[in-house]
Amino acid sequence: RAKACGKGRFEIFHKDFHHKAVDAMEMEAALREALSQKAFPVWFQPIVDLETGKTAGFEALVRWQQADGSMVSPADFIPLAEETGLIVPLGQQVLEKALNTAAAWPCMENQPYLAVNVSARQFEEIGFADMVAESLKESGFEAARLHIEITESLLFSQSETATNSLNRLRDMGIGIAIDDFGTGYANLACLRKFTLNQIKIDRSFVAGLPDRPECMEIVRSVMELSSRMGFSVVAEGIETQKQLDVLKGFGCPLGQGYLFSKPQAGDNFFSNPAKSSDCLCTTVLQAEPTQ
Ligand code: C2E
Ligand code: MG
Ligand code: MG
Ligand code: MG
């Protein structure tokens, strides 16, 4: 394609490619270094019961801390970590840190669940389920309070290793959620074939509520199917009261988004011990966003 556009175009393409390759190599080296230093803080975002306003769970979201203290977003380094296989040790560090943090949360009336993102690449590792079981045991966190968020692509993997791992997690009582639902290839019918507990509606659809008819239609269909099939539903990226009202109208049970709280360091939610015993969400709403 570059050739068809003439010689000049080819050179630009070539130069750009070279830069990208060098950038990626530098970034891979930096990722390796950060891994050995365990320089990946795990932040948490509350998942809220839309009816009561109470916190039902927390999603663990990794950050990459730079020497100057700034945080790099996972969107900027997870893809490279997946390509290079570094997501395997990184994912393990995130899981261990998230479980250890959550195990130390104060006792609450309704024990919130912990949701951890896992890449398809991690499911290809033989021994992935053993690693999860070991991390649960070491932290003392209950398997039934752990959710693993997977992407639609994993459902289509023909891999026996991935399927076996998924089944083992399910047998351990761990919840399985489909993340970013609607952005991949999964359609509502094909979800029937798998044992899932939860669907997370992607933020791009929530953003279109109530003005874009196709977003309204997608959310409506997901709610219908989920109630028929017994899935729980989380709406991602709720930013406005209007979006919240529409979702409640559709009967959506759970949501997360900046309207409630941005992701924050885990101990921020519990900085006031007097408050953490009653309604956790009060504490959440009072905490200053640090992002
Ligand atoms: P995700 O799993 O869909 O997580 C939700 C993302 O939406 C988070 O971005 C969160 O900060 C952002 N978000 C939440 N509420 C709102 C909102 O109201 N408005 C807007 N604009 N954004 C909102 P974050 O933390 O940058 O993470 C991006 C993605 O990186 C995650 O998307 C997930 O796919 C991936 N990721 C994060 N941590 C991990 C991890 O430990 N392992 C793996 N494999 N992937 C991870
Ligand atoms: Mg997620
Ligand atoms: Mg998501
Ligand atoms: Mg998302």
Side-chain angles (χ1 to χ4, degrees):
R1 184 169 150 250
K3 218 172 179 179
C5 300
K7 190 171 173 272
R9 177 61 198 266
F10 177 78
E11 276 168 1
I12 290 164
F13 168 80
H14 188 258
K15 232 160 130 187
D16 193 46
F17 180 79
H18 177 72
H19 276 295
K20 275 197 182 125
V22 171
D23 282 355
M25 275 170 68
E26 277 174 8
M27 196 159 157
E28 183 181 343
L31 269 177
R32 278 185 200 283
E33 174 65 18
L35 269 169
S36 70
Q37 316 228 330
K38 306 208 165 182
F40 294 98
V42 176
W43 284 10
F44 297 86
Q45 185 179 37
I47 297 165
V48 176
D49 179 324
L50 299 185
E51 208 47 60
T52 64
K54 292 198 180 185
T55 299
F58 288 94
E59 178 173 5
L61 294 158
V62 67
R63 298 291 180 263
W64 182 5
Q65 185 154 22
Q66 305 298 292
D68 66 359
S70 64
M71 298 290 175
V72 179
S73 150
D76 296 330
F77 65 90
I78 294 284
L80 184 68
E82 286 175 339
E83 269 169 49
T84 54
L86 290 173
I87 192 69
V88 172
L90 174 59
Q92 181 169 353
Q93 280 188 20
V94 171
L95 180 70
E96 287 171 356
K97 212 175 262 190
L99 282 171
N100 291 334
T101 306
W105 283 338
C107 279
M108 280 165 282
E109 198 188 319
N110 56 334
Q111 294 289 298
Y113 69 82
L114 170 71
V116 178
N117 294 284
V118 174
S119 292
R121 177 67 182 74
Q122 293 174 262
F123 274 90
E124 297 303 332
E125 288 295 296
I126 293 175
F128 173 70
D130 292 326
M131 185 279 284
V132 174
E134 187 59 31
S135 304
L136 277 165
K137 206 170 127 202
E138 296 229 317
S139 68
F141 196 80
E142 255 179 279
R145 282 174 65 202
L146 178 63
H147 286 201
I148 297 287
E149 295 191 3
I150 61 175
T151 54
E152 293 171 24
S153 63
L154 187 71
L155 297 185
F156 291 96
S157 119
Q158 301 293 312
S159 145
E160 217 183 291
T161 314
T163 309
N164 290 342
S165 296
L166 203 53
N167 289 339
R168 276 207 46 210
L169 296 185
R170 191 198 52 208
D171 293 345
M172 284 159 65
I174 294 168
I176 308 292
I178 295 289
D179 208 352
D180 304 333
F181 185 77
T183 59
Y185 300 101
N187 56 51
L188 296 171
C190 85
L191 292 181
R192 248 174 249 282
K193 289 187 285 185
F194 305 94
T195 321
L196 303 172
N197 305 93
Q198 190 175 68
I199 295 182
K200 299 190 75 174
I201 302 177
D202 191 64
R203 157 160 81 81
S204 57
F205 303 113
V206 173
L209 304 179
D211 299 325
R212 292 179 53 190
E214 70 275 25
C215 294
M216 292 289 279
E217 199 39 57
I218 283 165
V219 175
R220 194 201 319 273
S221 324
V222 171
M223 289 314 306
E224 268 173 26
L225 171 105
S226 301
S227 70
R228 238 183 299 136
M229 295 184 64
F231 299 148
S232 167
V233 178
V234 180
E236 299 190 286
I238 305 176
E239 293 184 352
T240 69
Q241 183 64 44
K242 226 172 174 181
Q243 291 163 354
L244 175 60
D245 293 341
V246 173
L247 288 160
K248 282 167 88 167
F250 282 138
C252 183
L254 299 166
Q256 67 189 103
Y258 296 171
L259 181 65
F260 305 109
S261 170
K262 288 190 170 182
Q264 305 175 43
D267 33 7
N268 277 10
F269 294 107
F270 307 102
S271 46
N272 187 342
K275 285 224 167 67
S276 57
S277 56
D278 39 277
C279 175
L280 179 56
C281 203
T282 319
T283 324
V284 164
L285 290 170
Q286 283 173 351
E288 273 300 308
T290 48
Q291 196 183 319

